[in-house]
Amino acid sequence: MKDETSELIHGEAVEKDLALLRLKPNLQGYDKLRKTFKWSDAEELIDWYPDGKVNSAYNVIDRHALGMNKDKIALIHDDGQGNVQKISFEEMYRETNKFANVLAKLGIRKQERVFVFLQRSPELYVSFLAAIKAGAIASPMFPAFGPDAIRDRLLDSGAVAIVTDTELVKRVYPVRNQLPDLKHIVVVGDANSELGEISYEAEMRAASENFETLHMNPEEFQFMLYTSGTTGKPKGVVHAHKGIVQQTLTSRWVLDLHDEDVYWCTADLGWITGVVYGCLGPWSCGVTQVGLGGRFDPDRWYRLIEDHRVNVWYTAPTAVRMLMAKGDDLPAKYDLTSLRVLYSVGEPLNPEGVKWALDVFDNKPFHDTWWQTETGSILITNFPEMPIKPGSMGKPLPGIEAEIVDEEGNVLPQGHEGNLVIRPGWPSMMRQIWNNQSKYNEYLRNGWYYTGDTAQIDKEGYFWYVGRADDVIKTSGERVGPFEVESALIEHEAVVEAGVIGKPDQLRGNIIKAFIVLAPGYTESDELKKDIQKFVKGHLAGHAYPREIDVVKSLPKTRSGKIMRRLLRARELGLPTGDTSTLEE
Ligand code: WTA
């Protein structure tokens, strides 16, 4: 049988001299652990209430504030303009207690949905964690979202409250009257009481610093995050409090966090990486985290590492490529010697990126990690103790059974490309798709959880990403559903039909490309295309607009009227078009 993996393997593995590592990796003896590890072993990393209940936010903040880490800095928030705030675990404890009291005063009940729609700021972490303490299901929302995206999420989840700021609240009002469940709008900054907005600052001043964090059943929900699939609107991926077990374990075993580390995750809290590894997991380990406001800027990124002596850094391939594109002179201007281990997630990390880091960051490679909004924590990864194969996602976490299977669930022979699947039941696995049992069921087939990705395994058990098995687009590592973009496009008066694909791009991994059919009376022009782009940015999201638009006479559709995105993509990329027997053009 042909070994198809060989073509994926680029060059030599990056071997590590373990004796030279600054700190001994937390995970030792991977091969043995894969045989012996039980999830119950990891439960010891977490504090449980004597009644057997738990609260993830208690583990993230309270236990440190009430213990030896009381005065330790939890958050170094740098607003990107030279203003730095340092907040200890005890201060985080008091602030989250206060905001949990504010939510209680508003009458928020257990498991009601509270959305947090804020720019990166201390208030973002405080309100997210306070909502979890109060027993609500907290849901952070990416600040680039526009009114349509906001409406879809708040409406589907039946959110009762949103915490936002003076600027972002303006995007809520256009859809406010479509949200019958939304009772409270809490505003950081200038709240307009005439519109019924609640002032964050005023309520915080009046709130007590004492709050009894709610004891939750481990299977009750801590947060939900909307994410995109191939079809339909974004779906609410719901995570249970018990997930904190694995979120803590992977922060130790994969991110290799040690007590003395200063850690920086570049992801926004609006994405799963920001929630799990820019908030929950590292703080549950009692580590100091750095947060940076503002937009991507290579100078500021390097300066942040130098200023705050960052040891562990978790970022994304697009950011790595953007830093690479800036050249090696720039990093040479900064003292980056504090860096100890580097990680990446969200899309394939090019082998060049791994190697570039070796040159620029004094022999430290990027460790690629693989996971999804639905998996709730890292499942496949390159571990600090192992050699890295540049271009590979690494190996499964102990406790995780990952395989490559066909559509019937048969495990394929080593080296074959197929569906990447995981045996269900790991602690941080999503528990539901909100209000959509059938969507949830689609993931679970033949006794496996189907990730929607295709991959291969090489002879040494390293996993290699091949692609998506569906139409989900990863652009700059951010997950976008073609349906959402198509829906936004056809709201524009000049567009009658739209088909959207991801088009491979050197820098961004993929860009969003749209094929549109114009309404009668409109003619193609650059101006019109720009107007359509602006429209999508304004309605859906600043990051999810088509960078390229082609005007076409018609779109390829199946007999039942579904747009054949696959065919659009194949034609665009000059690939074989495959089976077109259902085509009705
Ligand atoms: C992709 C992000 C290649 C993949 C945490 C997955 C990756 C989707 C990698 C989930 C990686 C994530 N190599 N592709 N190391 N990590 N992906 O939900 O297609 O935003 O299914 O979660 O990102 O995206 P999500």
Side-chain angles (χ1 to χ4, degrees), residues 562-583:
K562 243 174 73 181
I563 293 164
M564 294 176 83
R565 300 188 189 110
R566 234 151 242 283
L567 199 56
L568 285 173
R569 202 174 133 83
R571 285 177 182 167
E572 174 71 25
L573 305 180
L575 300 171
T577 46
D579 179 11
T580 52
S581 56
T582 58
L583 178 66

PDB file of all heavy atoms in Angstrom, residues 562-583:
ATOM      1  N   LYS A 562     -28.884  24.013  -4.023  1.00  0.00           N
ATOM      2  CA  LYS A 562     -27.752  24.342  -3.145  1.00  0.00           C
ATOM      3  C   LYS A 562     -26.560  24.791  -3.984  1.00  0.00           C
ATOM      4  O   LYS A 562     -26.227  24.144  -4.980  1.00  0.00           O
ATOM      5  CB  LYS A 562     -27.354  23.089  -2.351  1.00  0.00           C
ATOM      6  CG  LYS A 562     -27.546  23.264  -0.863  1.00  0.00           C
ATOM      7  CD  LYS A 562     -27.284  21.986  -0.098  1.00  0.00           C
ATOM      8  CE  LYS A 562     -25.815  21.641  -0.030  1.00  0.00           C
ATOM      9  NZ  LYS A 562     -25.555  20.407   0.691  1.00  0.00           N
ATOM     10  N   ILE A 563     -25.936  25.872  -3.555  1.00  0.00           N
ATOM     11  CA  ILE A 563     -24.762  26.360  -4.300  1.00  0.00           C
ATOM     12  C   ILE A 563     -23.609  25.382  -4.120  1.00  0.00           C
ATOM     13  O   ILE A 563     -23.323  24.948  -3.000  1.00  0.00           O
ATOM     14  CB  ILE A 563     -24.357  27.762  -3.809  1.00  0.00           C
ATOM     15  CG1 ILE A 563     -25.442  28.770  -4.181  1.00  0.00           C
ATOM     16  CG2 ILE A 563     -23.017  28.195  -4.384  1.00  0.00           C
ATOM     17  CD1 ILE A 563     -25.357  30.071  -3.444  1.00  0.00           C
ATOM     18  N   MET A 564     -22.964  24.997  -5.230  1.00  0.00           N
ATOM     19  CA  MET A 564     -21.861  24.034  -5.145  1.00  0.00           C
ATOM     20  C   MET A 564     -20.546  24.783  -4.950  1.00  0.00           C
ATOM     21  O   MET A 564     -19.832  25.089  -5.897  1.00  0.00           O
ATOM     22  CB  MET A 564     -21.826  23.154  -6.397  1.00  0.00           C
ATOM     23  CG  MET A 564     -23.063  22.264  -6.483  1.00  0.00           C
ATOM     24  SD  MET A 564     -23.113  21.289  -7.987  1.00  0.00           S
ATOM     25  CE  MET A 564     -22.078  19.894  -7.554  1.00  0.00           C
ATOM     26  N   ARG A 565     -20.256  25.077  -3.686  1.00  0.00           N
ATOM     27  CA  ARG A 565     -19.048  25.855  -3.378  1.00  0.00           C
ATOM     28  C   ARG A 565     -17.795  25.107  -3.799  1.00  0.00           C
ATOM     29  O   ARG A 565     -16.799  25.698  -4.189  1.00  0.00           O
ATOM     30  CB  ARG A 565     -18.989  26.151  -1.887  1.00  0.00           C
ATOM     31  CG  ARG A 565     -20.175  26.942  -1.383  1.00  0.00           C
ATOM     32  CD  ARG A 565     -19.931  27.352   0.047  1.00  0.00           C
ATOM     33  NE  ARG A 565     -21.124  27.931   0.645  1.00  0.00           N
ATOM     34  CZ  ARG A 565     -21.845  27.343   1.584  1.00  0.00           C
ATOM     35  NH1 ARG A 565     -21.482  26.166   2.047  1.00  0.00           N
ATOM     36  NH2 ARG A 565     -22.915  27.924   2.066  1.00  0.00           N
ATOM     37  N   ARG A 566     -17.888  23.792  -3.668  1.00  0.00           N
ATOM     38  CA  ARG A 566     -16.751  22.964  -4.025  1.00  0.00           C
ATOM     39  C   ARG A 566     -16.328  23.186  -5.478  1.00  0.00           C
ATOM     40  O   ARG A 566     -15.148  23.230  -5.812  1.00  0.00           O
ATOM     41  CB  ARG A 566     -17.165  21.502  -3.862  1.00  0.00           C
ATOM     42  CG  ARG A 566     -16.280  20.718  -3.003  1.00  0.00           C
ATOM     43  CD  ARG A 566     -17.035  19.610  -2.323  1.00  0.00           C
ATOM     44  NE  ARG A 566     -16.946  19.870  -0.896  1.00  0.00           N
ATOM     45  CZ  ARG A 566     -15.849  19.618  -0.200  1.00  0.00           C
ATOM     46  NH1 ARG A 566     -14.793  19.081  -0.778  1.00  0.00           N
ATOM     47  NH2 ARG A 566     -15.793  19.895   1.076  1.00  0.00           N
ATOM     48  N   LEU A 567     -17.334  23.326  -6.332  1.00  0.00           N
ATOM     49  CA  LEU A 567     -17.079  23.529  -7.748  1.00  0.00           C
ATOM     50  C   LEU A 567     -16.495  24.924  -7.986  1.00  0.00           C
ATOM     51  O   LEU A 567     -15.562  25.097  -8.767  1.00  0.00           O
ATOM     52  CB  LEU A 567     -18.402  23.362  -8.502  1.00  0.00           C
ATOM     53  CG  LEU A 567     -18.309  23.087  -9.988  1.00  0.00           C
ATOM     54  CD1 LEU A 567     -17.457  21.862 -10.255  1.00  0.00           C
ATOM     55  CD2 LEU A 567     -19.712  22.869 -10.551  1.00  0.00           C
ATOM     56  N   LEU A 568     -17.027  25.907  -7.274  1.00  0.00           N
ATOM     57  CA  LEU A 568     -16.493  27.271  -7.380  1.00  0.00           C
ATOM     58  C   LEU A 568     -15.017  27.260  -7.016  1.00  0.00           C
ATOM     59  O   LEU A 568     -14.181  27.880  -7.678  1.00  0.00           O
ATOM     60  CB  LEU A 568     -17.228  28.202  -6.411  1.00  0.00           C
ATOM     61  CG  LEU A 568     -18.644  28.636  -6.789  1.00  0.00           C
ATOM     62  CD1 LEU A 568     -19.281  29.401  -5.636  1.00  0.00           C
ATOM     63  CD2 LEU A 568     -18.604  29.510  -8.049  1.00  0.00           C
ATOM     64  N   ARG A 569     -14.722  26.535  -5.963  1.00  0.00           N
ATOM     65  CA  ARG A 569     -13.348  26.481  -5.463  1.00  0.00           C
ATOM     66  C   ARG A 569     -12.441  25.759  -6.460  1.00  0.00           C
ATOM     67  O   ARG A 569     -11.350  26.240  -6.783  1.00  0.00           O
ATOM     68  CB  ARG A 569     -13.359  25.735  -4.127  1.00  0.00           C
ATOM     69  CG  ARG A 569     -12.197  26.035  -3.254  1.00  0.00           C
ATOM     70  CD  ARG A 569     -12.383  25.360  -1.890  1.00  0.00           C
ATOM     71  NE  ARG A 569     -11.145  24.683  -1.524  1.00  0.00           N
ATOM     72  CZ  ARG A 569     -10.115  25.288  -0.962  1.00  0.00           C
ATOM     73  NH1 ARG A 569     -10.160  26.555  -0.668  1.00  0.00           N
ATOM     74  NH2 ARG A 569      -9.022  24.620  -0.682  1.00  0.00           N
ATOM     75  N   ALA A 570     -12.939  24.640  -6.964  1.00  0.00           N
ATOM     76  CA  ALA A 570     -12.134  23.858  -7.919  1.00  0.00           C
ATOM     77  C   ALA A 570     -11.843  24.693  -9.163  1.00  0.00           C
ATOM     78  O   ALA A 570     -10.723  24.721  -9.665  1.00  0.00           O
ATOM     79  CB  ALA A 570     -12.863  22.571  -8.277  1.00  0.00           C
ATOM     80  N   ARG A 571     -12.867  25.396  -9.643  1.00  0.00           N
ATOM     81  CA  ARG A 571     -12.669  26.225 -10.847  1.00  0.00           C
ATOM     82  C   ARG A 571     -11.676  27.351 -10.571  1.00  0.00           C
ATOM     83  O   ARG A 571     -10.808  27.642 -11.368  1.00  0.00           O
ATOM     84  CB  ARG A 571     -13.998  26.839 -11.278  1.00  0.00           C
ATOM     85  CG  ARG A 571     -14.915  25.839 -11.935  1.00  0.00           C
ATOM     86  CD  ARG A 571     -16.226  26.533 -12.245  1.00  0.00           C
ATOM     87  NE  ARG A 571     -17.180  25.623 -12.833  1.00  0.00           N
ATOM     88  CZ  ARG A 571     -18.472  25.904 -12.962  1.00  0.00           C
ATOM     89  NH1 ARG A 571     -18.927  27.069 -12.565  1.00  0.00           N
ATOM     90  NH2 ARG A 571     -19.288  25.031 -13.504  1.00  0.00           N
ATOM     91  N   GLU A 572     -11.830  27.974  -9.410  1.00  0.00           N
ATOM     92  CA  GLU A 572     -10.958  29.086  -9.043  1.00  0.00           C
ATOM     93  C   GLU A 572      -9.502  28.636  -8.976  1.00  0.00           C
ATOM     94  O   GLU A 572      -8.588  29.332  -9.396  1.00  0.00           O
ATOM     95  CB  GLU A 572     -11.390  29.642  -7.668  1.00  0.00           C
ATOM     96  CG  GLU A 572     -10.486  30.712  -7.092  1.00  0.00           C
ATOM     97  CD  GLU A 572     -10.568  32.039  -7.839  1.00  0.00           C
ATOM     98  OE1 GLU A 572     -11.602  32.302  -8.474  1.00  0.00           O
ATOM     99  OE2 GLU A 572      -9.576  32.798  -7.790  1.00  0.00           O
ATOM    100  N   LEU A 573      -9.301  27.444  -8.429  1.00  0.00           N
ATOM    101  CA  LEU A 573      -7.935  26.981  -8.193  1.00  0.00           C
ATOM    102  C   LEU A 573      -7.416  26.097  -9.321  1.00  0.00           C
ATOM    103  O   LEU A 573      -6.307  25.580  -9.241  1.00  0.00           O
ATOM    104  CB  LEU A 573      -7.859  26.217  -6.863  1.00  0.00           C
ATOM    105  CG  LEU A 573      -8.364  26.991  -5.637  1.00  0.00           C
ATOM    106  CD1 LEU A 573      -8.239  26.162  -4.375  1.00  0.00           C
ATOM    107  CD2 LEU A 573      -7.587  28.292  -5.482  1.00  0.00           C
ATOM    108  N   GLY A 574      -8.251  25.900 -10.342  1.00  0.00           N
ATOM    109  CA  GLY A 574      -7.829  25.060 -11.458  1.00  0.00           C
ATOM    110  C   GLY A 574      -7.656  23.606 -11.068  1.00  0.00           C
ATOM    111  O   GLY A 574      -6.786  22.903 -11.583  1.00  0.00           O
ATOM    112  N   LEU A 575      -8.501  23.152 -10.136  1.00  0.00           N
ATOM    113  CA  LEU A 575      -8.419  21.758  -9.685  1.00  0.00           C
ATOM    114  C   LEU A 575      -9.444  20.926 -10.454  1.00  0.00           C
ATOM    115  O   LEU A 575     -10.380  21.471 -11.024  1.00  0.00           O
ATOM    116  CB  LEU A 575      -8.737  21.685  -8.182  1.00  0.00           C
ATOM    117  CG  LEU A 575      -7.819  22.480  -7.262  1.00  0.00           C
ATOM    118  CD1 LEU A 575      -8.375  22.492  -5.842  1.00  0.00           C
ATOM    119  CD2 LEU A 575      -6.425  21.862  -7.269  1.00  0.00           C
ATOM    120  N   PRO A 576      -9.291  19.593 -10.417  1.00  0.00           N
ATOM    121  CA  PRO A 576     -10.317  18.763 -11.046  1.00  0.00           C
ATOM    122  C   PRO A 576     -11.669  19.032 -10.384  1.00  0.00           C
ATOM    123  O   PRO A 576     -11.742  19.215  -9.168  1.00  0.00           O
ATOM    124  CB  PRO A 576      -9.854  17.330 -10.754  1.00  0.00           C
ATOM    125  CG  PRO A 576      -8.517  17.423 -10.110  1.00  0.00           C
ATOM    126  CD  PRO A 576      -8.233  18.838  -9.774  1.00  0.00           C
ATOM    127  N   THR A 577     -12.732  19.085 -11.176  1.00  0.00           N
ATOM    128  CA  THR A 577     -14.028  19.461 -10.614  1.00  0.00           C
ATOM    129  C   THR A 577     -14.763  18.285  -9.974  1.00  0.00           C
ATOM    130  O   THR A 577     -15.777  18.473  -9.314  1.00  0.00           O
ATOM    131  CB  THR A 577     -14.926  20.115 -11.678  1.00  0.00           C
ATOM    132  OG1 THR A 577     -14.842  19.318 -12.838  1.00  0.00           O
ATOM    133  CG2 THR A 577     -14.491  21.521 -11.966  1.00  0.00           C
ATOM    134  N   GLY A 578     -14.260  17.071 -10.160  1.00  0.00           N
ATOM    135  CA  GLY A 578     -14.860  15.919  -9.476  1.00  0.00           C
ATOM    136  C   GLY A 578     -16.240  15.595 -10.022  1.00  0.00           C
ATOM    137  O   GLY A 578     -16.576  15.924 -11.164  1.00  0.00           O
ATOM    138  N   ASP A 579     -17.047  14.992  -9.150  1.00  0.00           N
ATOM    139  CA  ASP A 579     -18.374  14.534  -9.562  1.00  0.00           C
ATOM    140  C   ASP A 579     -19.325  15.724  -9.680  1.00  0.00           C
ATOM    141  O   ASP A 579     -19.638  16.399  -8.712  1.00  0.00           O
ATOM    142  CB  ASP A 579     -18.884  13.544  -8.506  1.00  0.00           C
ATOM    143  CG  ASP A 579     -20.272  13.055  -8.853  1.00  0.00           C
ATOM    144  OD1 ASP A 579     -20.725  13.321  -9.986  1.00  0.00           O
ATOM    145  OD2 ASP A 579     -20.894  12.420  -7.986  1.00  0.00           O
ATOM    146  N   THR A 580     -19.791  15.975 -10.901  1.00  0.00           N
ATOM    147  CA  THR A 580     -20.716  17.107 -11.078  1.00  0.00           C
ATOM    148  C   THR A 580     -22.076  16.598 -11.563  1.00  0.00           C
ATOM    149  O   THR A 580     -22.839  17.335 -12.178  1.00  0.00           O
ATOM    150  CB  THR A 580     -20.154  18.131 -12.088  1.00  0.00           C
ATOM    151  OG1 THR A 580     -19.795  17.433 -13.278  1.00  0.00           O
ATOM    152  CG2 THR A 580     -18.964  18.869 -11.544  1.00  0.00           C
ATOM    153  N   SER A 581     -22.368  15.332 -11.254  1.00  0.00           N
ATOM    154  CA  SER A 581     -23.606  14.747 -11.766  1.00  0.00           C
ATOM    155  C   SER A 581     -24.855  15.415 -11.198  1.00  0.00           C
ATOM    156  O   SER A 581     -25.920  15.352 -11.796  1.00  0.00           O
ATOM    157  CB  SER A 581     -23.637  13.249 -11.478  1.00  0.00           C
ATOM    158  OG  SER A 581     -23.483  13.042 -10.091  1.00  0.00           O
ATOM    159  N   THR A 582     -24.711  16.072 -10.031  1.00  0.00           N
ATOM    160  CA  THR A 582     -25.899  16.729  -9.464  1.00  0.00           C
ATOM    161  C   THR A 582     -26.006  18.184  -9.896  1.00  0.00           C
ATOM    162  O   THR A 582     -26.887  18.912  -9.453  1.00  0.00           O
ATOM    163  CB  THR A 582     -25.857  16.686  -7.919  1.00  0.00           C
ATOM    164  OG1 THR A 582     -24.664  17.327  -7.486  1.00  0.00           O
ATOM    165  CG2 THR A 582     -25.921  15.285  -7.370  1.00  0.00           C
ATOM    166  N   LEU A 583     -25.093  18.590 -10.780  1.00  0.00           N
ATOM    167  CA  LEU A 583     -25.040  20.011 -11.178  1.00  0.00           C
ATOM    168  C   LEU A 583     -26.223  20.398 -12.063  1.00  0.00           C
ATOM    169  O   LEU A 583     -26.576  19.705 -13.001  1.00  0.00           O
ATOM    170  CB  LEU A 583     -23.725  20.262 -11.931  1.00  0.00           C
ATOM    171  CG  LEU A 583     -23.497  21.658 -12.473  1.00  0.00           C
ATOM    172  CD1 LEU A 583     -23.350  22.660 -11.342  1.00  0.00           C
ATOM    173  CD2 LEU A 583     -22.253  21.680 -13.354  1.00  0.00           C
TER     174      LEU A 583
END
